[in-house]
C-alpha cells in the first residue's frame, strides 16, 4: 500500500472530521483529479460518503464518483436479480458474495462501494445445473466449461445486457470443498437483491471472507477491503 492509498483510507474511513479532511487534502496534493489509478478510484465514493457524514461540504469531483458508482451498481444489481430468479426457478439455492452482499447488508448504500461484477454462490454439486439454467436465460460464458474440471472456484458469465456475473461453486479459492460451503450456507442470513430473494454470509463469515479475499493477490489490487472489514465490524 503506497502513501496515497494510505491517505485515502484515512479520508474514507476516518471517524473524526478534521483528520479525515486533512487526509483528503493531503491526498489531493499528491494526486491530481483524473490521475487516480484504479485502486484509488474505487475508494472515492467512500471518501465522498464519509466526508459528507462528518459534515464537510460536498466536493463535486467526489460526488461524480459516487453517482457513477451508484448507477453502475444499480444496473449490476438488476442483472443479478434476474440471475437469482432464474436460479430460484430451477430450485437452486444461492448466496451473494463480496461487493453485493457488503453493499446491501453492511454499507446499506448502493453507491458507497464500486463493484466490478456480482458474485453468486451455488452448491458445488449443482454448478452444472446452474450453468444450464443461466445459459438458457441468455447468460454466456466459456462454452467448454473447462473450469468445472479444473481447480477454479468460479467462472465469469456475461448477462444479456453485457454486464458481468461470477458464478461460484465454492465461496473461496482457499477452501474448495463442499463442507466449507455448507457451513457458510447454514449460517447465512436472508437478503433481497432488487426484489429477488437470496442469502448472504453471516457477519462473522463475511468478515472472514473479506479478510481472506483482501489478502489474495489480484491484478486489480485495491485496499478497499480494509474499509469493508471496518464496516462489518
Amino acid at each position: 500500500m503506497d502513501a496515497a492509498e494510505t491517505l485515502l483510507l484515512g479520508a474514507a474511513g476516518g471517524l473524526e472530521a478534521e483528520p479525515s479532511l486533512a487526509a483528503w487534502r493531503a491526498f489531493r496534493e499528491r494526486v491530481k483529479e483524473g490521475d487516480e489509478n484504479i485502486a484509488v478510484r474505487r475508494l472515492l465514493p467512500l471518501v465522498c460518503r464519509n466526508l459528507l457524514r462528518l459534515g464537510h461540504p460536498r466536493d463535486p469531483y467526489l460526488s461524480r464518483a459516487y453517482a457513477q458508482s451508484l448507477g453502475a451498481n444499480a444496473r449490476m444489481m438488476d442483472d443479478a436479480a434476474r440471475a437469482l430468479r432464474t436460479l430460484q426457478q430451477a430450485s437452486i439455492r444461492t448466496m451473494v458474495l463480496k461487493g453485493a452482499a457488503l453493499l446491501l447488508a453492511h454499507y446499506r448504500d448502493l453507491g458507497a462501494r464500486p463493484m466490478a461484477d456480482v458474485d453468486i454462490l451455488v452448491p458445488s454439486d449443482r454448478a452444472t445445473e446452474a450453468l444450464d439454467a443461466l445459459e438458457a436465460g441468455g447468460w454466456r460464458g466459456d462454452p467448454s466449461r473447462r473450469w468445472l474440471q479444473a481447480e477454479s472456484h468460479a467462472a465469469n458469465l456475461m448477462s444479456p445486457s453485457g454486464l458481468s456475473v461470477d458464478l461460484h461453486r465454492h465461496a473461496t479459492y482457499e477452501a474448495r470443498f463442499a463442507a466449507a460451503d455448507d457451513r457458510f450456507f447454514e449460517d447465512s442470513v436472508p437478503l433481497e437483491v432488487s426484489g429477488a430473494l437470496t442469502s448472504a454470509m453471516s457477519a462473522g463469515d463475511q468478515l472472514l471472507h473479506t479478510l481472506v479475499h483482501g489478502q489474495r493477490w489480484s491484478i486489480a489490487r485495491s485496499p478497499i477491503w480494509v474499509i469493508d472489514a471496518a464496516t462489518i465490524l
Side-chain angles (χ1 to χ4, degrees):
M1 192 181 304
D2 62 26
E5 290 175 356
T6 301
L7 287 169
L8 210 55
L9 282 175
L15 300 178
E16 297 181 5
E18 290 312 310
S20 299
L21 182 59
W24 167 243
R25 287 173 173 166
F27 167 81
R28 189 44 84 210
E29 289 175 2
R30 286 175 174 265
V31 181
K32 294 180 181 179
E33 289 187 2
D35 287 348
E36 303 91 355
N37 60 34
I38 293 174
V40 162
R41 205 173 300 136
R42 295 188 70 201
L43 288 166
L44 295 179
L46 284 164
V47 176
C48 177
R49 190 177 88 141
N50 196 45
L51 293 183
L52 288 174
R53 182 183 65 83
L54 294 172
H56 292 298
R58 185 177 299 275
D59 180 297
Y61 189 78
L62 290 176
S63 295
R64 283 195 296 275
Y66 176 89
Q68 289 167 358
S69 175
L70 176 63
N73 286 346
R75 290 191 294 275
M76 279 188 275
M77 292 294 189
D78 285 346
D79 261 17
R82 284 190 281 273
L84 291 166
R85 290 190 188 97
T86 297
L87 294 170
Q88 186 179 48
Q89 288 167 3
S91 300
I92 298 173
R93 191 176 186 183
T94 61
M95 180 188 297
V96 291
L97 306 173
K98 300 193 288 185
L102 287 162
L103 281 171
L104 296 173
H106 298 282
Y107 285 105
R108 298 183 180 89
D109 180 343
L110 206 55
R113 182 192 186 281
M115 298 188 300
D117 51 32
V118 173
D119 298 82
I120 300 173
L121 173 68
V122 299
S124 58
D125 61 353
R126 305 206 62 189
T128 298
E129 293 175 71
L131 282 169
D132 290 342
L134 290 172
E135 289 176 357
W139 275 262
R140 292 291 175 263
D142 178 1
S144 71
R145 300 185 178 182
R146 283 184 295 238
W147 70 286
L148 292 176
Q149 283 72 51
E151 294 186 351
S152 301
H153 67 302
N156 182 262
L157 291 91
M158 199 67 65
S159 76
S161 61
L163 298 178
S164 182
V165 171
D166 269 3
L167 183 69
H168 287 246
R169 58 175 171 172
H170 298 298
T172 68
Y173 181 82
E174 293 76 9
R176 286 162 289 156
F177 50 91
D181 300 316
D182 289 344
R183 290 297 300 273
F184 288 132
F185 272 117
E186 287 169 12
D187 294 337
S188 66
V189 295
L191 191 70
E192 185 175 311
V193 177
S194 294
L197 298 180
T198 182
S199 63
M201 288 182 176
S202 66
D205 286 346
Q206 188 70 67
L207 179 60
L208 173 66
H209 194 257
T210 295
L211 295 174
V212 169
H213 193 265
Q215 294 299 313
R216 187 185 304 147
W217 180 88
S218 172
I219 293 174
R221 179 191 60 82
S222 173
I224 199 168
W225 66 269
V226 177
I227 306 297
D228 292 341
T231 300
I232 296 167
L233 287 169

